[in-house]
Amino acid sequence: MAPSMDFSDWWAKEIRSGTPVVVTMQNPNYSVLEIDGPDAAAFPPADKGRGKNAKQVTWVLLLKAHRAVGCVAWLAAGLWSLLGALKKRVFLGQGCSTESDKPGKGGLLFRFLRGFLALSIAMLALEMIAYWKGWHFKKPNLQLPESLHMPETTEIQGWMHNAYLCWLAFRSNYIAYPIQVLSNFCIVLFMIQSLDRMILCLGCFWIKLKKIKPTIDGDPFKADDVESSGSEYPMVLIQIPMCNEREVYEQSISAACQIDWPRDRVLVQVLDDSNDETIMLLIRAEVSKWSQRGVNIVYRHRLVRTGYKAGNLKSAMSCDYVKDYEFVAIFDADFTPNPDFLKKTIPHFKGNPELGLVQARWSFVNKDENLLTRLQNINLCFHFEVEQQVNGVFLNFFGFNGTAGVWRIKALEDSGGWLERTTVEDMDIAVRAHLNGWKFIFLNDVKVLCEVPESYEAYRKQQHRWHSGPMQLFRLCLPAILKSKISVWKKANLVLLFFLLRKLILPFYSFTLFCVILPLSMFVPEAELPLWVICYIPVIMSFLNILPAPRSFPFIVPYLLFENTMSVTKFNAMVVGLFQLGSSYEWIVTKKAGRSSESDLLVAAERHLKPVGHLQLHRGVSESELMEVNKLKDQQQEAPPPPPAKRGNQIYKKELALALLLLTAAVRSLLSAQGIHFYFLLFQGVSFLLVGLDLIGEQMV
């Protein structure tokens, strides 16, 4: 039901029965007398309850009033802060910028949402007039035209009443049925996806119960012989692709150079695509520092950044010396592997010639930084703990995560190497390697430290790439999947589960069901969604998602709301990738904060502010590099650098339009006394409002 304002329960008395008891307190102001027996009728009826004198009742009322005032004050403070942010960011525009709606970047979707919002406001105005005029039917049942009992002509009260009755008949005859069909279709997809998630969770539970995990037979290395050059240590290439990674270049290069492996059997490639000369100089100096310490490390820079990360890796694999190496480990710039990483991954290849990839798990150093990072941690923990582990154990196939993995170079070459046709080159090579018969292993107990985006802007761009790229890849590789020689079961798993169900259907039904059909059903109540679709099943699915991260249980409600909020970004990205629109091949490097560990936050801040002129040069730095540093210092002295431009928070128009749409639908549901629908629409609308104003995650101003 709608929110109730009945507070009578606060003063409800608890009926007690028992033997006659007389309690006299030392303080003469308190005297409690309770009598239960045949003489009880001599007392007034009010004394049958628990005895309370005036002071006790007063204290109880004061306590309850204190709680009520505290709750109201908390809500008022939150509302005041929200209104202040709304005024500052929307009306005054202080420190904010609005996302662009270029063709292919969601402009069509925003126009649809804007039109839907205008129509909803018009329908709400009509329903409000009908409600105050007494025309409103509390629970209409207009599923069939003949079930609509139109009033007699004499009962029609003017042209407006007649127009409202015509609207009721029109929505019952022409609008309710298609909405109900689309709703049922989305509910079926919702149930299929929920069943898939439950099966994955059962598979993870079975793995935990039986303690199934990849094992290594014997000790593949000789004890206390790390520097030996025997056959126990194969030749390994370590690649670190990066692009303008000022915040994290130092920690990633340092971690890679400290990996415990014979120095004559490992080579570190720093693959720099930076276009900032200052950052290029810093990275080159860092490489020179480790080179002088005896580490086998090289620096590569491309003048033209074609193909993004795939082009960078492809260019590095074309070097002549790569043929001398058997395996390649790949780490993104914000990943810091432990020194024993290769010793925990390379041995799995021994005696397993069909194994092409060993993938390690990610671990996040900034997962508790803000609410956004906590919610990301829930999703990624489920992805690694459940999806990757179950698919690795039972299918020997999963999507390569692009980093923290070791490839057999022969598997890369047999699968066609790195291709520049999509922005998800990691998934592309994984699918092609699977079609060529290579197997994958996921190591859930080998973790590599990294960080998740701390601002919603960075997270949104990352999710756009992660959801548009798979659809783009699906269009390209579908013919190869159908023509491949793998079994029919593996083809069905790739097409139906890996691509369609988890990459296409999930964002489609999530956006359509909860952001379009649900608010629309408030204005067309003949197509109302069942309660279990809105409440019970989503809560159960959210509970399953949080199981791999038990510390996140207090965030189950924000997680559910935020996942629905992100559906608009994921749906837009899915459509862009599926239909090859303008931004389907757009790669924006995710902003990093440089948090290699919890204790390095201050060091990271100092490193970010460190001027290039104070760069410490190590012995052995080339003369050209020294000249570049001196030249840069002279330029800085001649012209002081301009003050850094402050980057403000974004205003996301699609999210704001959906916020107003859902809040409008919440008001309409309040008229019909639909309790669960009202609360869901209210909280979901507030969630969209917070995201649209960029009030979640790192704040820039």
Side-chain angles (χ1 to χ4, degrees):
M1 297 296 295
S4 174
M5 301 301 292
D6 185 10
F7 301 101
S8 60
D9 291 342
W10 286 11
W11 292 276
K13 297 183 179 181
E14 178 182 356
I15 304 301
R16 298 179 55 188
S17 62
T19 59
V21 177
V22 178
V23 180
T24 303
M25 302 180 65
Q26 300 256 343
N27 191 333
N29 293 328
Y30 293 91
S31 178
V32 181
L33 178 64
E34 181 175 324
I35 298 178
D36 186 13
D39 296 333
F43 293 88
D47 291 341
K48 290 182 179 180
R50 186 177 180 180
K52 295 180 180 179
N53 60 22
K55 280 196 173 183
Q56 287 177 309
V57 174
T58 303
W59 277 111
V60 170
L61 293 178
L62 286 176
L63 288 174
K64 293 185 179 295
H66 176 72
R67 293 178 182 176
V69 170
C71 181
V72 172
W74 180 81
L75 292 175
L79 181 61
W80 184 259
S81 300
L82 183 60
L83 292 176
L86 184 65
K87 176 183 177 182
K88 180 179 179 181
R89 299 190 179 186
V90 176
F91 299 104
L92 300 181
Q94 295 179 2
C96 296
S97 58
T98 305
E99 60 170 340
S100 60
D101 278 325
K102 299 178 181 179
K105 279 195 170 185
L108 182 61
L109 179 60
F110 175 68
R111 288 193 292 270
F112 165 76
L113 294 176
R114 188 171 55 186
F116 191 10
L117 174 61
L119 182 61
S120 300
I121 294 176
M123 289 190 293
L124 177 62
L126 180 61
E127 293 290 344
M128 291 288 291
I129 295 174
Y131 184 83
W132 293 114
K133 292 284 187 178
W135 308 333
H136 179 71
F137 299 98
K138 195 167 188 179
K139 196 74 173 180
N141 183 17
L142 310 176
Q143 294 183 1
L144 296 176
E146 56 267 22
S147 65
L148 177 60
H149 300 288
M150 298 291 291
E152 299 292 337
T153 307
T154 56
E155 299 178 5
I156 299 179
Q157 306 170 8
W159 66 269
M160 188 174 293
H161 190 195
N162 186 39
Y164 179 69
L165 294 176
C166 292
W167 158 246
L168 293 182
F170 177 78
R171 82 184 187 191
S172 175
N173 295 333
Y174 301 104
I175 299 179
Y177 180 73
I179 293 178
Q180 192 65 60
V181 171
L182 180 60
S183 174
N184 294 336
F185 177 67
C186 290
I187 290 174
V188 171
L189 297 180
F190 182 30
M191 296 305 298
I192 293 175
Q193 197 273 335
S194 300
L195 180 62
D196 172 66
R197 184 136 309 188
M198 292 186 67
I199 293 175
L200 287 174
C201 291
L202 290 176
C204 182
F205 175 75
W206 182 259
I207 292 173
K208 297 293 184 183
L209 182 64
K210 296 296 183 178
K211 299 181 180 180
I212 303 173
K213 67 176 183 178
T215 57
I216 303 173
D217 297 332
D219 185 5
F221 305 108
K222 295 180 180 180
D224 302 327
D225 195 15
V226 176
E227 295 298 328
S228 67
S229 58
S231 59
E232 303 87 8
Y233 297 92
M235 299 290 288
V236 180
L237 183 67
I238 299 177
Q239 294 179 334
I240 311 176
M242 58 180 63
C243 179
N244 296 327
E245 307 280 6
R246 181 189 182 103
E247 295 81 7
V248 294
Y249 76 93
E250 188 175 351
Q251 65 191 40
S252 60
I253 295 175
S254 174
C257 292
Q258 296 181 64
I259 288 183
D260 189 8
W261 203 255
R263 291 187 174 181
D264 60 337
R265 306 195 70 80
V266 64
L267 172 65
V268 179
Q269 280 185 322
V270 179
L271 312 177
D272 185 22
D273 266 1
S274 303
N275 54 11
D276 189 319
E277 293 186 0
T278 302
I279 299 177
M280 291 166 51
L281 184 61
L282 291 170
I283 297 174
R284 202 156 38 226
E286 184 71 15
V287 171
S288 299
K289 178 184 74 174
W290 287 101
S291 178
Q292 293 304 309
R293 294 182 180 181
V295 177
N296 195 10
I297 183 172
V298 295
Y299 173 86
R300 286 179 55 85
H301 178 264
R302 295 192 307 162
L303 297 177
V304 181
R305 191 186 170 216
T306 58
Y308 302 116
K309 181 179 176 181
N312 199 0
L313 295 173
K314 181 179 179 181
S315 174
M317 294 298 293
S318 64
C319 298
D320 294 336
Y321 53 79
V322 173
K323 65 179 182 295
D324 298 328
Y325 293 84
E326 187 177 357
F327 303 103
V328 55
I330 303 174
F331 301 102
D332 282 351
D334 59 314
F335 281 70
T336 54
N338 292 326
D340 60 352
F341 176 82
L342 292 181
K343 288 191 172 182
K344 289 184 176 180
T345 54
I346 295 296
H348 290 277
F349 290 97
K350 187 176 182 180
N352 196 356
E354 296 181 347
L355 183 61
L357 168 67
V358 174
Q359 173 72 58
R361 178 174 176 170
W362 299 0
S363 180
F364 313 105
V365 298
N366 62 337
K367 60 184 177 182
D368 296 324
E369 183 66 22
N370 52 49
L371 178 60
L372 178 61
T373 59
R374 289 185 174 96
L375 299 179
Q376 292 180 72
N377 180 62
I378 295 174
N379 264 339
L380 292 171
C381 283
F382 182 86
H383 170 69
F384 288 107
E385 185 85 14
V386 180
E387 293 179 339
Q388 297 291 76
Q389 185 172 212
V390 171
N391 289 325
V393 170
F394 294 104
L395 301 177
N396 292 122
F397 167 72
F398 47 82
F400 174 46
N401 294 117
T403 178
V406 181
W407 277 95
R408 190 189 297 269
I409 294 181
K410 187 176 185 302
L412 292 177
E413 295 173 347
D414 289 348
S415 305
W418 300 103
L419 299 182
E420 306 170 8
R421 56 183 182 174
T422 69
T423 57
V424 284
E425 74 296 326
D426 45 8
M427 184 181 294
D428 189 0
I429 189 63
V431 170
R432 287 184 282 115
H434 181 59
L435 296 179
N436 282 275
W438 291 97
K439 296 181 179 180
F440 304 162
I441 283 180
F442 177 75
L443 302 179
N444 191 53
D445 54 348
V446 179
K447 301 179 181 181
V448 180
L449 286 175
C450 62
E451 62 180 69
V452 290
E454 297 181 5
S455 67
Y456 178 71
E457 180 186 7
Y459 178 65
R460 190 171 182 264
K461 292 176 180 178
Q462 182 194 69
Q463 292 300 305
H464 179 87
R465 176 166 56 87
W466 284 5
H467 286 81
S468 64
M471 288 296 95
Q472 188 181 15
L473 177 63
F474 178 65
R475 289 171 50 99
L476 297 173
C477 69
L478 181 59
I481 295 175
L482 298 178
K483 295 177 183 178
S484 64
K485 298 180 181 180
I486 61 176
S487 64
V488 177
W489 158 249
K490 291 183 177 180
K491 290 181 181 179
N493 174 67
L494 269 177
V495 176
L496 299 180
L497 294 180
F498 186 77
F499 279 112
L500 291 182
L501 182 60
R502 297 166 188 165
K503 304 297 189 298
L504 188 148
I505 291 178
L506 177 58
F508 169 77
Y509 86 74
S510 181
F511 172 77
T512 307
L513 193 62
F514 296 106
C515 298
V516 177
I517 295 178
L518 178 58
L520 187 59
S521 66
M522 296 297 100
F523 300 98
V524 187
E526 298 85 353
E528 182 180 351
L529 287 176
L531 184 62
W532 57 270
V533 174
I534 301 174
C535 181
Y536 301 141
I537 300 298
V539 170
I540 294 174
M541 292 299 104
S542 299
F543 178 80
L544 293 178
N545 283 5
I546 291 182
L547 281 179
R551 291 179 54 195
S552 302
F553 272 106
F555 303 99
I556 184 171
V557 174
Y559 172 74
L560 173 61
L561 296 174
F562 183 70
E563 281 301 291
N564 290 335
T565 304
M566 284 302 301
S567 64
V568 61
T569 297
K570 297 177 181 179
F571 174 80
N572 180 53
M574 181 268 293
V575 173
V576 165
L578 187 62
F579 296 101
Q580 298 283 78
L581 300 181
S583 59
S584 62
Y585 196 69
E586 181 183 38
W587 183 299
I588 299 177
V589 178
T590 305
K591 176 179 172 56
K592 314 294 194 312
R595 308 186 192 278
S596 59
S597 65
E598 297 293 344
S599 60
D600 290 343
L601 301 183
L602 294 177
V603 177
E606 293 175 359
R607 179 174 62 248
H608 182 73
L609 298 175
K610 179 177 65 176
V612 179
H614 295 166
L615 178 67
Q616 180 181 0
L617 297 178
H618 299 268
R619 187 178 60 182
V621 175
S622 63
E623 183 179 355
S624 60
E625 292 174 351
L626 185 59
M627 292 176 61
E628 290 180 8
V629 174
N630 293 331
K631 181 179 178 181
L632 189 59
K633 290 171 61 178
D634 294 339
Q635 293 176 354
Q636 290 180 344
Q637 292 176 356
E638 293 175 0
K646 291 186 177 180
R647 184 172 64 87
N649 293 82
Q650 291 280 335
I651 296 295
Y652 302 102
K653 296 187 290 185
K654 289 189 288 293
E655 283 78 358
L656 285 180
L658 273 169
L660 297 178
L661 173 63
L662 293 173
L663 293 176
T664 303
V667 176
R668 175 61 182 85
S669 68
L670 190 61
L671 298 179
S672 300
Q674 296 170 300
I676 296 298
H677 297 74
F678 167 77
Y679 289 116
F680 182 88
L681 289 167
L682 176 64
F683 291 126
Q684 192 63 70
V686 172
S687 176
F688 268 104
L689 184 61
L690 294 175
V691 171
L693 295 175
D694 200 7
L695 293 175
I696 183 173
E698 180 187 17
Q699 297 300 297
M700 301 301 171
V701 291

